[in-house]
Amino acid sequence: MGWDWQTIKHLLMIRKEDYLNSSLLFLYLFLVITSLMIGKSVSTALFISTFGAMQLPYAIIGQTILITILIAGYLRLWRVYQPPVLISSSLLLLGASGVLLWWLLRHHVTGVIPLLYVWGGIFGVVAPVQVWTLGNFIFTTRDARRYFGFIGSGGILGFICGGYFIKKLAPLFGAETLLPSVAVFCCFSALLVQWIWRRNQDRITELQTDSGRDFSLKQSALCIWNSKYLLLITLLVTIASLATKIVDVQFSAITAQFIQDKNEMTAFFGSVITYMGWGAFLLQLLLGGKMLDKLGIGITILVLPLSLLTSTLAALLVTALWTAVLLRLSDQVFKHSIDKSTTELLYLPIPTDVKIQVKSFIDTVILRAGDGLAALLLLLFTNVIPLINRAHPGSISLLNLPIIGLLLYIAFQIRKEYLNALRSGFRNRGLDPHDISHYIAEPATLEELNKYLASPETEEVLYALDILTQGEHREELLLPHLRHLLQHPTAAIRLKALQMLSTFSRDYVVPEAEALLNDSDFAIRAEAARYVYTYSQTDILTRIQSLPDYPDYVIQGGILLNLLQQNRPDNWGVARLILDGMVRNKDEDGKAARIEAARVLGLISLPVKWHCHLVDLMQDDAPDVVRQALDSAGRTQHHDFIPFLLEALADRHTQVAAREALVHFGHRILGTLKDHLSDTSVPAELRNHIPRVLSRIGGQEAVEILLDCLDQKDVALRYKILKALNRLRSSDATLKFDEHKILNPLFAELKQYYRYTQLLVAFNPTAPPMLETGPRRLDLLTTSVLERQDRAMERVFRFLGLLYSHNDIHQAFYGLRSPRPQNRANTVEFLDNLLNPALRKFILPLIDSKVTLGQRARKGRAFWKWKLLTREESLAELLSASNRWLCACAMSAASELEVNGLTALIQQLALSPDSLLSETATWVLHQKTLRPMKEDDFSPVALAGVE
Amino acid sequence: MLTVLEKVMFLRHIPLFSNTRMENLARVASITQEVEFRKGEVIFRNNDPCDAIYFIRHGAVRLHRDDVDIFIVSDNESFGEMEVLSNEPRFVMATALEDVSALKISNEEFFDVLADNISIAQDILRLLVGRIKVLMENSRMSLVFWLKDD
């Protein structure tokens, strides 16, 4: 592979529009880290050569206290000043104070060296954090993930240059002479900050819509305390800081055993920094960003703890200069490369305002607290508990090993929480996926609905009743409310409650219904009579005959039911006469009686010879009668009715009733449904409704049938099957979905999506990568292909909903359609972490809005070894497509683009029996933009396509 | 005589179908009829039963009550859809201001297509919900300005 600019760009994964931003941040971090290395090396070497390494813990404690005070002030300043002002000012102040300290050292002022050490600490806390903060202002989650690796390499390059600078110049001019150079780098950095901010004003405004910057240390601490995820990040940072600070002291202590001169020591530090920088640079540049992409945060977060564990063990076993170097490398190589990028990524699921508040607090106060704690532990285990031997710095490992163990444990914990945090992050900004039944089960929602049921407003009570009926487990939820509502002063509510109770499977309220036989409202009395003779064995006829105003059909229905329930053949003659009387009147006036007759026939175990009466009612002219007859047929659960129910399923006027009737059969009908669903000779109008029936019946067997039929050529049917599976998945968590049966059709769907991309890029290379909302400026074919892709993408997500959490995928699907770029980026980031590598490889290029159409097409060609299509080949494929609409659009496009090579194919299509194709072909040929073809121009290949 | 493809090319720019997918629009196009009205011709009168939606290809139509103009609709605009969607009699009168060429969908056929293709109904619902949102947002903004002025 040649190392040209394209290759480097590919490795770095930087988009064209972000070259400058990434490069500027790279340079900014480079300058800051170079300055830091110089400042820290000089201050540490001067301190150790003057006071000894084992005095470092005291300096660290002093440094921690001072930094905490300064940071409190710094956070207050965030409230007052704009970020670029504050960052630039603090950089200039740090540079100026470096020059002042150099001047004081030259004049041998007492107490400057501890002050210099503290200054080095403050520089290390403030300056690098500001780079990442600025980066978070200008990049989305997705971009940040992509570029932070590259920007981090700028820091590592700073190590190399800073180290080289120190190594060469410290022995020549003396360590302290290097301090003024820090001021120069700080000035350049301040200018860069201003430039970066100004050129990204629009982007910052777009991304930071809600950055309330009014916070204090206490608020930040409270914010962390109230979030498990933030608490884990804080613990991770604290323990990592603790462990690396102990490693830092151990490194200094071992070095001081072998080197005593301050300039030699500074130069040695410089050498170590240079080698460390080279290692980290190569690691980050070549693997950093990709490692995060490929392995994910779950693996990269373990890199630093494991490297610390290795070097600490080595230092325990051997105290030598090389183990000191190993300690330093294990800490710094990964801390400033992979670990830094990984830790930055941990903050990304957190809302922007919280992130700004908390991150500054963690990166400054908490980080310092870790340092201070490390110093206290070192003093404790050196002076009070003699675990550490001053003469043997290797023994410091005994203190650090348990701490590193704890660090590993927290890293494992945070891996799990990262995904949850991302999930809840975009859930709060997206659509809520819970279905209505879930809401009803939720106590707060139920409580709210109870308030409605108790409302004096009739409309509100009826509204609440309507909502409550949507739930899956409505009977037990509704019963107490409905029972109470039977005594409601408003007749409409009493009636609605009783009607709903009539649909229940059991005789819950017979006494209450008997009481309603005397109700003042006619409709309620009729409904009560129906309820009582349906559910009670009492002699309802005698009772209602003594009561006034009962319609004939209610009495007839009651008598008919009583006669049939006695199951005596000598009654059937009379029953037949009554039934005939009920159904005789075929006009609108007799409709109520026919409905009642159909209802009664569904309430008993009907003798077979009576089935024909129900079948007659299924063919009634009034849809209401047909629907009731279908419902009754379902209640009988007799297989005689199944062909009629299936027939009714294909009719849009009766399909709902037929579906519910089929559902009454339950699992007994699954075999029949499977046969119909998998039989391609069954009309599509019928097959299309079977998945819904299966999903209403539910159970593992229904899942298996649907999965077995998933590999459908008919896109509409495939979609219905998927919807049914999604419904089953969300309603019953115990159901199992065989991954093998899902992956094949899922990949077929993805392949189709990529194929559309190939076709699109061939006939319209300037097409947008995704369907756009707003005015329709694109040509018909481009729009139609993009719409097909849009539908395909929905199906892909429906497949994913079967493999992963249904709610997560539902959220992600809508997250990708959010108008806010940050939401879309967060969703892509979420899916990147959620999907397994095989799926991720195919799906991410399709959902990342920054991947261009051309890049997507290239991916498709690489995945399926497709050749690059010409415009003519693309249109020819569309002309031969099974989709007639795409075919018609392709003819129009061929005419507009004057693709003469397709004339023969279009001439053939003009003879098609399909009117859409023939009229379009004729119209296109009539346009005369295409060259007429002779008979021998007809290509056999093209004609095969038409066939 | 227009082909279905030509009708789709026209209908895709009608706001009522701005969310409708092309394939669905082809189904709608297949049930449209081409109609023409001469200048001054009355297309429907106030309180007439609503029977169709019209989509103007060329020309202009005056929607009015007596002599009061309610709207003037012209190329790529539709009229009559509100009554069809709300199933109410015509509440305005429609008169051709100039020679008009239009596509017409009878309400019965329109509802049949909607019933057979629920996704078209979903597309139209999405459009209507979008319009309601805009109205709500505008009324909220008006209220804010009104309060400020007050």
Side-chain angles (χ1 to χ4, degrees):
Chain A
M1 187 170 66
W3 283 87
D4 56 6
W5 177 232
Q6 284 301 324
T7 311
I8 292 168
K9 279 196 296 186
H10 177 71
L11 272 173
L12 298 179
M13 296 187 298
I14 299 172
R15 296 183 200 293
K16 198 176 172 183
E17 65 271 22
D18 287 324
Y19 286 157
L20 191 57
N21 277 335
S22 313
S23 306
L24 290 175
L25 279 168
F26 175 95
L27 184 61
Y28 173 26
L29 189 63
F30 164 74
L31 291 172
V32 162
I33 297 296
T34 306
S35 313
L36 177 64
M37 287 302 105
I38 295 167
K40 280 205 85 171
S41 300
V42 172
S43 61
T44 309
L46 286 176
F47 188 92
I48 295 173
S49 59
T50 310
F51 302 106
M54 294 316 280
Q55 300 302 314
L56 274 174
Y58 293 106
I60 294 168
I61 291 170
Q63 194 183 55
T64 305
I65 294 167
L66 196 62
I67 286 173
T68 308
I69 295 166
L70 279 172
I71 292 308
Y74 180 79
L75 289 178
R76 280 178 186 276
L77 291 175
W78 266 102
R79 283 187 248 177
V80 185
Y81 297 105
Q82 280 289 310
V85 176
L86 196 62
I87 295 173
S88 302
S89 309
S90 52
L91 282 168
L92 292 173
L93 194 67
L94 283 168
S97 53
V99 175
L100 178 67
L101 286 167
W102 165 71
W103 184 83
L104 291 172
L105 277 171
R106 277 194 59 156
H107 291 82
H108 306 289
V109 177
T110 322
V112 178
I113 290 176
L115 207 59
L116 179 67
Y117 187 81
V118 171
W119 172 84
I122 293 170
F123 197 110
V125 171
V126 174
V129 168
Q130 289 177 334
V131 182
W132 299 112
T133 306
L134 191 63
N136 277 323
F137 269 108
I138 62 173
F139 291 126
T140 63
T141 313
R142 186 83 188 141
D143 290 340
R145 180 190 167 105
R146 197 181 295 273
Y147 304 146
F148 277 6
F150 168 69
I151 295 163
S153 305
I156 297 160
L157 198 63
F159 278 92
I160 297 167
C161 293
Y164 190 76
F165 193 71
I166 298 161
K167 189 174 114 182
K168 291 290 173 193
L169 300 182
L172 288 177
F173 304 107
E176 59 271 32
T177 317
L178 305 178
L179 286 173
S181 60
V182 173
V184 178
F185 293 140
C186 282
C187 285
F188 276 118
S189 302
L191 288 172
L192 280 175
V193 171
Q194 291 296 326
W195 186 11
I196 294 168
W197 191 268
R198 283 181 190 176
R199 73 180 303 273
N200 287 288
Q201 277 290 355
D202 292 345
R203 189 190 284 214
I204 289 164
T205 312
E206 188 185 9
L207 293 178
Q208 315 293 323
T209 54
D210 47 2
S211 65
R213 297 193 298 120
D214 189 14
F215 49 80
S216 65
L217 284 179
K218 190 181 164 191
Q219 284 171 320
S220 304
L222 270 175
C223 200
I224 292 169
W225 185 251
N226 290 325
S227 158
K228 185 185 174 189
Y229 182 62
L230 286 174
L231 213 53
L232 276 173
I233 293 183
T234 311
L235 269 175
L236 184 87
V237 172
T238 312
I239 307 292
S241 162
L242 186 66
T244 51
K245 186 50 86 177
I246 294 173
V247 162
D248 190 18
V249 172
Q250 194 175 14
F251 163 72
S252 300
I254 297 173
T255 306
Q257 266 203 342
F258 295 94
I259 304 168
Q260 279 79 38
D261 177 67
K262 63 171 185 176
N263 292 335
E264 267 186 52
M265 195 184 287
T266 309
F268 173 72
F269 285 160
S271 299
V272 173
I273 289 168
T274 308
Y275 298 134
M276 178 184 85
W278 274 118
F281 181 71
L282 288 173
L283 188 73
Q284 178 66 6
L285 192 66
L286 298 176
L287 293 174
K290 289 209 160 190
M291 192 180 270
L292 267 177
D293 263 11
K294 283 185 178 165
L295 301 178
I297 200 164
I299 301 290
T300 55
I301 204 167
L302 299 175
V303 171
L304 179 69
L306 290 173
S307 72
L308 285 179
L309 184 68
T310 313
S311 63
T312 304
L313 273 172
L316 179 67
L317 299 173
V318 185
T319 306
L321 215 49
W322 71 266
T323 50
V325 174
L326 188 65
L327 272 172
R328 196 65 172 157
L329 292 180
S330 70
D331 162 17
Q332 298 291 315
V333 167
F334 298 114
K335 188 178 169 185
H336 293 283
S337 53
I338 291 164
D339 192 64
K340 184 70 190 167
S341 310
T342 306
T343 313
E344 288 301 320
L345 202 59
L346 288 177
Y347 289 103
L348 293 172
I350 302 164
T352 312
D353 52 344
V354 179
K355 181 165 68 182
I356 293 168
Q357 176 174 356
V358 165
K359 191 172 179 299
S360 306
F361 180 73
I362 291 177
D363 284 352
T364 49
V365 178
I366 296 296
L367 212 63
R368 288 309 104 193
D371 290 353
L373 191 61
L376 281 174
L377 285 174
L378 281 165
L379 288 176
L380 180 72
F381 286 97
T382 309
N383 299 328
V384 182
I385 304 166
L387 180 72
I388 299 168
N389 186 341
R390 284 171 185 271
H392 297 288
S395 61
I396 296 175
S397 296
L398 293 173
L399 170 64
N400 214 7
L401 283 172
I403 295 169
I404 295 168
L406 185 61
L407 181 64
L408 269 169
Y409 174 75
I410 294 167
F412 271 111
Q413 291 300 312
I414 214 161
R415 285 182 350 156
K416 296 178 201 160
E417 279 302 316
Y418 175 69
L419 204 58
N420 288 338
L422 257 183
R423 191 175 292 158
S424 73
F426 78 80
R427 183 173 293 164
N428 290 338
R429 291 187 285 268
L431 294 169
D432 202 298
H434 299 117
D435 55 29
I436 293 168
S437 63
H438 178 85
Y439 279 124
I440 291 172
E442 204 266 318
T445 314
L446 251 185
E447 197 180 315
E448 196 59 32
L449 284 169
N450 281 343
K451 284 182 200 162
Y452 269 76
L453 287 175
S455 166
E457 297 293 327
T458 306
E459 289 304 316
E460 287 190 359
V461 178
L462 291 173
Y463 169 70
L465 282 172
D466 280 344
I467 291 179
L468 281 165
T469 54
Q470 305 297 316
E472 285 292 320
H473 308 290
R474 56 187 186 175
E475 288 193 14
E476 62 264 31
L477 285 169
L478 281 175
L479 189 60
H481 304 296
L482 294 180
R483 196 193 296 272
H484 178 70
L485 290 173
L486 289 177
Q487 274 95 48
H488 199 278
T490 309
I493 292 172
R494 291 200 303 278
L495 179 62
K496 175 90 178 172
L498 193 55
Q499 282 171 339
M500 286 167 71
L501 284 160
S502 302
T503 65
F504 285 9
S505 55
R506 282 180 50 198
D507 53 343
Y508 294 111
V509 290
V510 171
E512 289 89 342
E514 283 183 354
L516 288 173
L517 289 171
N518 296 312
D519 197 280
S520 59
D521 186 272
F522 161 76
I524 294 175
R525 288 203 305 274
E527 189 62 41
R530 268 202 292 270
Y531 188 92
V532 172
Y533 76 63
T534 302
Y535 289 114
S536 167
Q537 299 302 316
T538 55
D539 187 4
I540 185 68
L541 290 175
T542 313
R543 280 200 63 183
I544 62 176
Q545 274 165 352
S546 64
L547 297 168
D549 293 339
Y550 273 90
D552 288 347
Y553 68 83
V554 173
I555 296 171
Q556 288 170 335
I559 297 168
L560 177 64
L561 184 65
N562 264 356
L563 292 172
L564 290 173
Q565 274 174 337
Q566 289 168 20
N567 200 18
R568 285 167 46 190
D570 51 329
N571 281 347
W572 289 353
V574 182
R576 173 75 184 274
L577 281 174
I578 294 172
L579 180 65
D580 285 346
M582 290 176 83
V583 301
R584 190 180 303 129
N585 187 352
K586 292 284 181 189
D587 59 23
E588 191 66 21
D589 295 340
K591 195 172 84 174
R594 299 203 302 281
I595 291 174
E596 189 63 10
R599 206 177 71 84
V600 168
L601 293 179
L603 292 173
I604 46 149
S605 176
L606 204 60
V608 175
K609 59 192 280 187
W610 281 71
H611 285 181
C612 57
H613 301 298
L614 203 47
V615 171
D616 284 345
L617 288 165
M618 279 187 220
Q619 284 150 4
D620 198 281
D621 292 335
D624 290 345
V625 177
V626 176
R627 282 193 281 268
Q628 182 58 63
L630 290 168
D631 180 67
S632 293
R635 286 177 191 276
T636 65
Q637 298 186 21
H638 202 289
H639 55 78
D640 277 1
F641 297 117
I642 291 174
F644 298 100
L645 294 175
L646 287 170
E647 191 183 326
L649 197 60
D651 181 342
R652 71 177 157 86
H653 296 105
T654 52
Q655 61 192 215
V656 175
R659 185 173 66 223
E660 294 308 309
L662 286 166
V663 169
H664 281 304
F665 284 81
H667 290 183
R668 293 193 298 122
I669 204 176
L670 289 178
T672 308
L673 293 176
K674 183 180 182 180
D675 292 343
H676 279 74
L677 184 59
S678 52
D679 185 352
T680 49
S681 65
V682 172
E685 297 80 32
L686 167 56
R687 292 173 79 205
N688 278 341
H689 290 96
I690 292 176
R692 183 94 185 261
V693 180
L694 287 166
S695 75
R696 292 274 288 111
I697 293 171
Q700 191 61 47
E701 202 182 337
V703 171
E704 297 305 329
I705 292 170
L706 288 163
L707 285 175
D708 287 340
C709 297
L710 200 49
D711 203 3
Q712 288 290 333
K713 281 188 181 164
D714 181 341
V715 178
L717 181 56
R718 191 161 71 232
Y719 179 71
K720 301 256 180 191
I721 293 173
L722 264 174
K723 270 178 85 170
L725 284 165
N726 287 144
R727 213 172 281 131
L728 285 163
R729 171 91 168 164
S730 65
S731 63
D732 187 349
T734 61
L735 295 174
K736 303 272 180 287
F737 292 78
D738 186 351
E739 190 179 302
H740 300 292
K741 291 180 181 174
I742 296 165
L743 285 176
N744 272 345
L746 169 57
F747 276 103
E749 205 71 72
L750 286 167
K751 187 176 179 182
Q752 183 63 60
Y753 192 107
Y754 276 104
R755 190 64 194 169
Y756 280 133
T757 308
Q758 301 304 309
L759 299 170
L760 192 58
V761 88
F763 73 79
N764 185 0
T766 59
M770 287 175 189
L771 195 61
E772 291 170 342
T773 52
R776 288 168 158 164
R777 297 191 191 92
L778 298 169
D779 63 278
L780 217 50
L781 182 58
T782 305
T783 309
S784 300
V785 171
L786 286 171
E787 283 176 355
R788 303 280 298 177
Q789 285 189 313
D790 196 50
R791 297 300 296 265
M793 186 50 71
E794 184 188 335
R795 289 192 295 274
V796 165
F797 272 78
R798 285 189 177 278
F799 276 114
L800 293 178
L802 303 177
L803 295 169
Y804 298 95
S805 155
H806 180 263
N807 283 346
D808 287 351
I809 296 298
H810 191 262
Q811 287 292 342
F813 181 68
Y814 285 103
L816 287 174
R817 289 166 183 234
S818 164
R820 293 186 59 189
Q822 185 68 31
N823 287 3
R824 292 198 298 274
N826 279 347
T827 307
V828 174
E829 175 62 24
F830 171 73
L831 288 171
D832 197 349
N833 283 279
L834 183 73
L835 302 179
N836 74 38
L839 282 171
R840 193 163 60 203
K841 187 172 112 181
F842 287 91
I843 292 173
L844 281 199
L846 303 182
I847 57 174
D848 192 339
S849 58
K850 293 197 170 173
V851 176
T852 64
L853 188 70
Q855 287 169 332
R856 216 168 268 169
R858 272 199 295 281
K859 288 263 179 201
R861 287 199 293 278
F863 290 149
W864 281 285
K865 309 271 182 283
W866 286 327
K867 72 179 184 70
L868 189 64
L869 292 175
T870 63
R871 188 164 64 182
E872 186 173 327
E873 286 169 333
S874 162
L875 290 174
E877 189 170 326
L878 285 163
L879 284 175
S880 314
S882 56
N883 184 285
R884 53 201 283 275
W885 175 247
L886 283 184
C887 182
C889 293
M891 281 190 259
S892 167
S895 165
E896 278 173 37
L897 300 169
E898 298 181 20
V899 185
N900 290 315
L902 298 174
T903 311
L905 204 46
I906 295 171
Q907 282 171 338
Q908 277 295 304
L909 286 167
L911 306 173
S912 165
D914 185 322
S915 63
L916 174 69
L917 298 182
S918 58
E919 76 166 21
T920 309
T922 310
W923 174 72
V924 162
L925 294 169
H926 188 68
Q927 303 291 304
K928 293 179 181 166
T929 48
L930 297 177
R931 183 171 63 84
M933 300 297 283
K934 295 175 213 152
E935 203 169 313
D936 52 356
D937 281 344
F938 283 54
S939 143
V941 177
L943 293 181
V946 179
E947 294 294 320
Chain B
M1 181 85 173
L2 294 171
T3 63
V4 168
L5 201 78
E6 286 173 294
K7 288 177 180 175
V8 171
M9 283 176 184
F10 161 66
L11 289 173
R12 70 199 290 247
H13 298 296
I14 300 285
L16 184 67
F17 299 124
S18 58
N19 280 337
T20 310
R21 292 170 190 276
M22 294 301 114
E23 282 187 73
N24 288 336
L25 212 46
R27 293 189 181 103
V28 175
S30 65
I31 57 161
T32 58
Q33 285 174 275
E34 290 171 60
V35 285
E36 295 196 343
F37 302 100
R38 304 297 300 271
K39 183 180 176 181
E41 190 177 343
V42 173
I43 301 168
F44 54 72
R45 290 175 196 282
N46 203 4
N47 287 326
D48 276 0
C50 64
D51 60 343
I53 307 175
Y54 297 88
F55 306 97
I56 304 175
R57 293 180 60 229
H58 311 293
V61 172
R62 177 177 167 230
L63 301 176
H64 58 106
R65 287 193 130 182
D66 301 325
D67 289 335
V68 182
D69 282 357
I70 310 286
F71 261 124
I72 305 286
V73 284
S74 57
D75 293 8
N76 290 337
E77 290 182 317
S78 56
F79 63 97
E81 73 269 33
M82 297 304 273
E83 297 98 321
V84 167
L85 290 174
S86 62
N87 196 23
E88 286 171 353
R90 301 289 185 193
F91 52 84
V92 289
M93 187 168 166
T95 309
L97 271 179
E98 50 194 70
D99 286 352
V100 171
S101 161
L103 291 184
K104 170 184 171 181
I105 303 181
S106 83
N107 57 349
E108 219 163 276
E109 287 208 78
F110 183 60
F111 283 121
D112 276 350
V113 168
L114 290 194
D116 289 339
N117 303 280
I118 188 69
S119 55
I120 302 178
Q122 285 173 330
D123 294 338
I124 291 175
L125 278 176
R126 263 200 296 274
L127 173 89
L128 295 177
V129 169
R131 284 182 181 176
I132 291 169
K133 275 185 184 171
V134 172
L135 284 173
M136 284 169 72
E137 187 61 27
N138 287 345
S139 60
R140 194 177 69 84
M141 293 304 289
S142 307
L143 184 67
V144 169
F145 286 126
W146 178 72
L147 288 172
K148 273 186 179 174
D149 288 346
D150 213 32

